[in-house]
Amino acid sequence: HLRPPPAPPPPPMRLCHCVWAFALAALVPAVRAFGSPLASVAASSLVGRSAMRMALAPTDAVALAPTAFAGAKRALIDTLKEEYASMFSPMRKEFYVSDVAFRDPLIQISGLAKYQDNVDLLGGRNALGKFLFKDASIELHDVAECPDDPLRLTTRWTLQLCMKVLPWQPYARFTGVSQYTLNEQAQVLSQQDYWDSLNLKDGSYATRSPLSALADFAAQLFVNAGPELLPYLLLRRADSYDVRRYAKPPPQRVVAAGGTSGDVASTVIVATLTEGTSTSAVSEAAASLRRLAESDGLVTLPGHWAAFGAAKDEVWVGLKDDARELWPTA
């Protein structure tokens, strides 16, 4: 059993801490002392919706001229790239409104102080974050502008962090998108995050309950005890498949199947083989995986492979990945 940290006790939690502490309370008895966050989730839902409406309300600030707005927006995009690379250390607060609203599958918060506190929690820079997490990082894959709405931006990313409070120190990984709404000065009014594993279905994103997000997070803590560094870049962790990009030949034994010729694609869609590794089972799994991935907006390549030697046998389907810096934002 884990023992709680020595006195002094952990500081009182802010709203953005409650859900993370609940995940631990279900897994580590010592963390139950942090409190019960289910009520906080319900309260944050009401507060978050109100904050979102306030943040999206028109402001009295004067709109920038088109040229000035374009320059300010470019500066914001460059800032987001820097913030993701540094895990928001530092956070450039001048690019956010004071009551910026943030929502992801677990929490809803508003205000710069709470936004900063949340990223410091994940980054292990405040008291509770230092107790819970280490090795947090965000890999930014793309920042895309919306051609029909200049006040919107979308980023695609991979987040990983280590739950160091647990004895086996598992790593949780999430992929997804952040949808930013800007004001007419190119400042961030709101940020809505979606996880591929939870919110993605048939190529679009929909909100789910915080309890579903907790279950998705907790499931990784029991099975994802591998090393920090993977032999591939995880581009998408969906509900029933992954998308990986290999810079080097994969360590598994990969066998071409179904008449596939040539080397394995560098970017592949991966699912676990659950019905055996016979030729027919692999072909059926590949066809099912291809249909699922294409329903989520991906473009697959002909052919498929069976991969052996990892924790589980897998089926791989190649992904069209010509413009890597643009892959994929929806």
Side-chain angles (χ1 to χ4, degrees):
H1 297 283
L2 292 178
R3 295 179 179 176
M13 288 186 303
R14 297 189 180 185
L15 180 63
C16 61
H17 297 160
C18 297
V19 176
W20 293 106
F22 173 73
L24 290 174
L27 302 171
V28 185
V31 187
R32 287 183 179 143
F34 288 131
S36 172
L38 281 178
S40 300
V41 170
S44 76
S45 179
L46 296 175
V47 173
R49 285 196 293 270
S50 174
M52 191 73 74
R53 288 195 295 270
M54 291 174 60
L56 296 178
T59 67
D60 296 329
V62 177
L64 296 177
T67 302
F69 176 82
K73 188 176 181 182
R74 174 49 54 187
L76 171 62
I77 291 173
D78 291 340
T79 295
L80 290 174
K81 293 178 180 179
E82 294 172 359
E83 288 181 329
Y84 279 53
S86 67
M87 197 64 190
F88 292 83
S89 180
M91 178 181 172
R92 299 283 300 279
K93 296 182 179 181
E94 66 271 23
F95 288 91
Y96 301 80
V97 299
S98 60
D99 58 348
V100 59
F102 172 85
R103 180 178 181 180
D104 73 4
L106 280 171
I107 63 170
Q108 299 182 71
I109 54 177
S110 66
L112 272 173
K114 291 182 178 178
Y115 192 114
Q116 176 79 70
D117 201 37
N118 188 51
V119 295
D120 285 346
L121 170 74
L122 297 178
R125 294 189 294 269
N126 57 26
L128 186 58
K130 290 177 181 177
F131 176 66
L132 297 179
F133 304 123
K134 71 174 184 178
D135 295 341
S137 65
I138 305 177
E139 179 87 21
L140 178 64
H141 305 306
D142 184 43
V143 184
E145 300 185 52
C146 178
D148 301 324
D149 188 347
L151 299 180
R152 293 190 179 275
L153 291 173
T154 301
T155 61
R156 168 160 283 281
W157 42 261
T158 298
L159 165 69
Q160 81 162 14
L161 51 81
C162 175
M163 204 69 160
K164 74 174 186 178
V165 69
L166 298 178
W168 58 97
Q169 298 197 348
Y171 281 79
R173 296 178 178 88
F174 304 90
T175 67
V177 297
S178 295
Q179 296 177 348
Y180 292 88
T181 300
L182 315 181
N183 65 12
E184 293 183 338
Q185 292 75 46
Q187 294 174 299
V188 176
L189 285 172
S190 68
Q191 177 183 341
Q192 169 72 67
D193 283 8
Y194 295 106
W195 298 350
D196 293 328
S197 56
L198 187 71
N199 307 115
L200 178 63
K201 184 174 178 59
D202 296 331
S204 60
Y205 293 93
T207 57
R208 298 276 301 277
S209 74
L211 290 179
S212 298
L214 282 172
D216 181 73
F217 171 63
Q220 295 194 67
L221 303 183
F222 290 101
V223 299
N224 193 358
E228 173 189 359
L229 298 177
L230 300 176
Y232 54 82
L233 176 61
L234 181 65
L235 294 175
R236 174 174 283 179
R237 174 182 164 265
D239 179 44
S240 53
Y241 68 89
D242 290 347
V243 176
R244 306 171 185 169
R245 181 183 293 151
Y246 287 87
K248 299 179 180 179
Q252 301 99 313
R253 182 172 66 92
V254 181
V255 178
T260 303
S261 60
D263 297 331
V264 64
S266 61
T267 305
V268 290
I269 310 162
V270 178
T272 301
L273 282 170
T274 59
E275 302 297 330
T277 58
S278 66
T279 301
S280 60
V282 172
S283 296
E284 290 175 7
S288 177
L289 176 60
R290 191 182 302 278
R291 288 192 298 270
L292 180 59
E294 290 179 350
S295 73
D296 283 340
L298 302 180
V299 180
T300 62
L301 296 173
H304 57 270
W305 297 263
F308 308 97
K312 299 178 181 179
D313 295 331
E314 299 170 336
V315 60
W316 291 9
V317 171
L319 176 70
K320 186 176 176 61
D321 189 23
D322 296 333
R324 291 188 169 188
E325 69 279 7
L326 300 178
W327 185 93
T329 57

